[in-house]
Amino acid sequence: MADPNILETHVRATAGVNLLEGVGMVEAPRGSLIHHYQVSPEGGIVWANLIVATGHNNLAIGRSIQQVSELSIHGNKKRPLQNRDYCGRLR
């Protein structure tokens, strides 16, 4: 902390490739986001696979829409079909 260069405005951080493949997972509003990358020895991305939360939840979303719509079609008004986004918020 006593180094006067710590306040220097001309700062450049450099990083190198330490692995050619990596996987990460973070929690997002709609569920888990999984990202998987492969890079070249120079650090360029050569392959990427992102699995977003909607992909995880697609089956459950489809089944719940089907159940609610079947109840609505058969005259059950207890659970009306509502317009929701993928986060479950009413539109």
Side-chain angles (χ1 to χ4, degrees):
M1 297 300 293
D3 185 352
N5 291 329
I6 201 158
L7 299 176
E8 179 64 44
T9 58
H10 299 288
V11 178
R12 180 174 183 211
T14 59
V17 175
N18 44 0
L19 291 173
L20 296 178
E21 187 169 3
V23 176
M25 179 182 260
V26 295
E27 188 61 28
R30 288 181 264 170
S32 299
L33 169 64
I34 301 168
H35 44 107
H36 181 187
Y37 301 98
Q38 293 176 353
V39 298
S40 68
E42 296 78 31
I45 296 173
V46 296
W47 182 84
N49 183 24
L50 301 176
I51 302 173
V52 296
T54 305
H56 289 289
N57 298 326
N58 194 36
L59 181 61
I61 291 168
R63 285 186 177 166
S64 59
I65 290 171
Q66 181 180 359
Q67 289 172 352
V68 171
S69 63
E70 286 174 356
L71 290 172
S72 296
I73 290 170
H74 297 298
N76 185 341
K77 300 299 180 192
K78 292 180 186 174
R79 300 172 76 190
L81 186 60
Q82 296 174 325
N83 188 9
R84 294 182 180 267
D85 65 13
Y86 285 113
C87 294
R89 298 178 298 235
L90 285 172
R91 288 188 184 181

